[in-house]
Amino acid sequence: MSACSSCLSLMVFYIALLVTLVSQSNGGCQDAALCCVGQNLSCITEGWREDRSYGDCYCDQACKTTLDCCHDYDLACPAIPCIVSEWSVWSGCMESCKPTVRTRLRQVIQEARNGGEPCPSLQQTAGSAKYQDQHGTCLQSLVPALITTGGYGNARKKREISDLSNITGYCVEFKLTSLTVACQHSISPHTRWMRYLKEGHQVCVECQPPALTQGQRYCSGDGESSGWQMTFSLQWQAVGNSKCRGVWRRVRRRDSCSCPTAHSFLFI
């Protein structure tokens, strides 16, 4: 009986010793205090791999691709996403009296590590226009021209004008040089016409008497009062979708419009 007890005690001892040796031989990234960015061949230790084999294993970020990570890589080197601050306030316009941009920034609070979500853009820009400088109010040409579809003119009510006999409308041809993507997303019935606005197209915009600037013989934003030049760009904005806007270059003035219906618009 005592012999059996001795054998049992010896077996328990060997089992405990084996468990201790196995637990000590797990190795891995935590035991080696390793966790490396990118691919680093020196970021290596000995232990169990994720495929349950034993030997050299890595604790670098690339091991997830090469499939030779230590068994505890995910625990020792958890993916940490980039964290950024809130946006700053928008800056002022870069320049006065011309279409330009403004910017806002945000800062990195915590860099991404171990394959975590990378940092998003840290700077945003947006269109901007400042209508005054140190000399006072800018030229009328900086004010965006408000436009709508040419079909609106059929039902348009004329504004009270004292002497209609001496006032006639006219047409201005422009070449579209840029426009926002919001124009293509205009799908409601009264804004669908904006989808015909395409960069590079030449369009006709009619200045009817109801749209004349009060006391003047031109429409706001058409460049008529600015001594325009072929290289001078003007801004426009579609009525019904304030995000549909852009820049065009004036080509010529005509007594009447001759563009296709899809490319014919009105000043408001």
Side-chain angles (χ1 to χ4, degrees):
M1 188 73 176
S2 60
C4 290
S5 297
S6 298
C7 289
L8 182 60
S9 298
L10 188 61
M11 183 179 297
V12 170
F13 171 77
Y14 278 122
I15 291 174
L17 179 62
L18 180 62
V19 169
T20 301
L21 290 174
V22 169
S23 63
Q24 289 180 344
S25 65
N26 277 344
C29 302
Q30 282 187 310
D31 288 348
L34 290 174
C35 192
C36 307
V37 177
Q39 185 171 18
N40 188 338
L41 296 179
S42 65
C43 196
I44 187 173
T45 185
E46 187 174 347
W48 292 99
R49 304 188 189 96
E50 291 182 336
D51 63 0
R52 299 183 180 181
S53 61
Y54 189 87
D56 290 340
C57 58
Y58 289 85
C59 303
D60 62 351
Q61 188 176 332
C63 75
K64 301 298 289 185
T65 302
T66 54
L67 304 177
D68 52 8
C69 295
C70 295
H71 70 96
D72 64 344
Y73 173 79
D74 289 333
L75 180 64
C77 307
I80 299 175
C82 174
I83 299 176
V84 297
S85 67
E86 295 295 323
W87 287 109
S88 67
V89 297
W90 285 102
S91 70
C93 297
M94 300 295 289
E95 297 182 71
S96 299
C97 295
K98 63 187 303 185
T100 181
V101 295
R102 54 181 178 158
T103 61
R104 64 176 182 174
L105 306 171
R106 54 185 173 186
Q107 307 296 324
V108 175
I109 297 176
Q110 175 181 276
E111 294 281 1
R113 298 205 303 271
N114 309 326
E117 188 72 23
C119 294
S121 172
L122 301 178
Q123 177 175 315
Q124 277 188 343
T125 60
S128 178
K130 186 176 180 181
Y131 298 111
Q132 288 188 325
D133 60 10
Q134 67 270 25
H135 303 298
T137 303
C138 304
L139 294 174
Q140 178 72 16
S141 58
L142 182 61
V143 180
L146 299 178
I147 62 170
T148 189
T149 176
Y152 172 72
N154 297 330
R156 191 178 206 173
K157 293 182 179 180
K158 292 192 175 183
R159 184 193 305 165
E160 292 278 340
I161 300 178
S162 59
D163 187 7
L164 286 173
S165 61
N166 294 327
I167 298 178
T168 58
Y170 58 90
C171 183
V172 183
E173 293 182 7
F174 296 94
K175 183 175 182 180
L176 293 168
T177 56
S178 68
L179 68 160
T180 60
V181 295
C183 300
Q184 301 305 308
H185 298 157
S186 301
I187 57 175
S188 62
H190 68 284
T191 62
R192 198 171 296 150
W193 61 270
M194 301 175 193
R195 302 175 70 178
Y196 292 104
L197 295 166
K198 303 288 185 181
E199 187 173 319
H201 280 184
Q202 191 156 307
V203 298
C204 293
V205 188
E206 187 176 357
C207 177
Q208 295 181 338
L212 295 174
T213 301
Q214 197 68 38
Q216 303 293 333
R217 293 178 178 269
Y218 58 85
C219 285
S220 179
D222 71 349
E224 188 71 15
S225 64
S226 308
W228 59 274
Q229 300 174 2
M230 289 293 289
T231 57
F232 194 67
S233 294
L234 304 165
Q235 297 183 80
W236 58 268
Q237 178 180 314
V239 174
N241 180 358
S242 61
K243 294 182 179 180
C244 177
R245 58 177 64 205
V247 176
W248 56 21
R249 184 169 292 120
R250 179 167 167 155
V251 178
R252 66 178 66 86
R253 169 176 169 160
R254 292 184 179 275
D255 292 333
S256 61
C257 291
S258 58
C259 290
T261 302
H263 295 165
S264 297
F265 307 100
L266 293 176
F267 289 110
I268 292 296

